Amino acid sequence: MNRLLSGVSAGVIMLVCAMGAASAADLPGKFEGVTIDAKLIGGQQYEKLYERIGEWEKATGAKVNILSKKNHFELDKEIKSDIATGGITWCIGSNHSSFAPQYPDIYADLFGLVPSEEVARFVPAVIDASTLEGKLVMLPRAQFDVSALYYQKSLYQDEAKKAEFKAKYGYDLAPPDTWAQVSDQAEFFAAPPNFYGTQFAGKEEAINGRFYEMLVAEGGEYLDKDGRPAFNSEAGVRALDWFVKLYKSKAVPPGTTNYLWDDLGQGFASGSIAVNLDWPGWASFFNDPKSSKVAGNVGVKVQPAGSSGKRTGWSGHHGFSVTESCGSKEAAASLVWWLTNEDSQMLESAAGPLPTRSAVWDHNIKAAEGDAYKTEVLQAFQEAAKHAFPVPQTAEWIEISNAVYPELQAAILGDKTSKEALDAAAEKATGILEDAGKL
């Protein structure tokens, strides 16, 4: 996070200063009669922001037609289908730092569409991470993601449970600081089919990303210095075994291999999960009695460490992009700015997500004063962000994820050993990189 908050790319700063197309005073602009087609990420935690689209329509005279609202995995498939059929007829798409390297050519350079003084108000390193081959392909929203650990506080205050745990495991029961402790506690707390120790998203990039960060925490690497798959190592086996052991011991729900993020959020909010590694966007949802049975009973702390002493920290950020084929790029860029401006980022980050505008960080720190839960959340995620690291910077990351995750599932479900699964996954990943000319 130190790099994120203070890291500055000289090249990006030069571009920001040189290429802003208009002044911030011109925003949001007037676009009477224009209709902007959009494909957006869907999910409960994003809906409050989309309510602001109506305000933009009223201010500009334009209309927004939302063609899709899907999770990023499904949206990615849809975008690739559009590319294959020449069907990029829409103007705005949700984007993500993990997905963006796959298709930079379909998106316009926002350095030429968004005023330079507005771009300069974002955390510089996030702008850097949103820039591919000199093009600002997306404007970051208040969805910088790194996961911290949520837990039910009452479980750690039960004197009978504390005594039982100490007798069984030989150390005091406290919110876990290592993944070995998470494993112990998950098995201890589990009482299937009504209550489980923890959970994980078990398919698509979600499980590959969780495996990746656990691999790093175990001292391994996903790709080596030459760009070759290196995850079928002793560290990789230890990382995958962690998931396998929890599934085999029934410490996680039986359906976890089909879970994605919304399933995890609803699961923890249902009160049936003890500890849950999850994103900042769920913080407010978990502590709201209207949506969560654990409201008032939620603790949050920095994510645990693996056997190497490193903490997990798979991270990325969301944003919005404007397509090259858009016939109304200026209007589309105005809407992208609107959805990522300070008002929008204060709205989104009030629910827990981490902002990407410098002033909103300052605002949130001040706003948290006097609110014990918000302060705990902010402190936990500030600490979590210090350990953040991105996915391997290869355009083939998602394609590799799609090939690897069925092998991870095979090990978790007991169809293969961890080593067999990882060897098969590494062979598939190597083939993908060879076909792409990377090896």
Side-chain angles (χ1 to χ4, degrees), residues 173-316:
L173 178 62
D177 196 53
T178 69
W179 285 109
Q181 291 171 359
V182 171
S183 182
D184 288 346
Q185 294 179 20
E187 292 179 352
F188 175 75
F189 287 130
N194 299 315
F195 195 83
Y196 294 93
T198 190
Q199 57 184 349
F200 51 82
K203 66 178 183 178
E204 301 188 15
E205 190 214 15
I207 184 59
N208 190 43
R210 287 294 188 227
F211 165 72
Y212 162 60
E213 65 179 341
M214 193 68 77
L215 170 71
V216 172
E218 288 299 313
E221 55 183 355
Y222 201 92
L223 301 178
D224 66 18
K225 59 182 177 59
D226 297 318
R228 290 189 172 278
F231 51 75
N232 56 332
S233 59
E234 290 183 7
V237 170
R238 288 196 303 273
L240 184 50
D241 278 349
W242 185 87
F243 298 92
V244 172
K245 182 174 182 285
L246 287 175
Y247 188 85
K248 186 176 181 180
S249 66
K250 298 183 180 180
V252 297
T256 198
T257 49
N258 289 312
Y259 284 6
L260 287 175
W261 308 126
D262 280 358
D263 303 295
L264 300 188
Q266 295 294 343
F268 186 72
S270 75
S272 63
I273 304 294
V275 297
N276 180 48
L277 183 72
D278 221 326
W279 309 104
W282 289 103
S284 178
F285 185 85
F286 290 154
N287 208 44
D288 184 347
K290 295 178 182 177
S291 56
S292 173
K293 293 182 179 179
V294 293
N297 187 34
V298 182
V300 195
K301 65 169 294 181
V302 66
Q303 67 272 34
S307 65
S308 72
K310 295 179 182 177
R311 297 186 185 275
T312 51
W314 169 36
S315 69

Side-chain angles (χ1 to χ4, degrees), residues 12 14 25 50 70 78 96 106-107 176 181 232 260 281 372 408:
V12 169
M14 290 174 63
Y50 298 155
K70 300 178 177 178
E78 188 172 304
H96 191 281
I106 71 169
Y107 292 126
Q181 291 171 359
N232 56 332
L260 287 175
L408 302 178

Side-chain angles (χ1 to χ4, degrees), residues 26-31 34-40 49-67 90-94 110 113-115 118 122 139-141 319-322 326 328-342 344-345 348 357:
D26 297 329
L27 292 168
K30 291 291 183 182
F31 305 102
V34 171
T35 297
I36 298 296
D37 289 338
K39 294 195 173 188
L40 305 178
L49 176 65
Y50 298 155
E51 292 176 9
R52 296 206 71 218
I53 291 174
E55 299 174 41
W56 180 84
E57 291 176 322
K58 185 176 181 180
T60 64
K63 296 295 180 184
V64 178
N65 180 31
I66 299 176
L67 301 176
W90 38 277
C91 279
I92 288 178
S94 285
L110 292 173
L113 293 168
V114 176
E118 279 300 310
F122 288 84
L139 212 57
R141 62 190 288 182
F320 296 104
S321 299
V322 175
C326 179
S328 305
K329 287 188 179 70
E330 291 77 12
S334 169
L335 178 56
V336 166
W337 165 81
W338 181 268
L339 294 174
T340 60
N341 67 14
E342 287 189 11
S344 290
Q345 294 220 0
E348 282 206 281
R357 281 178 172 259

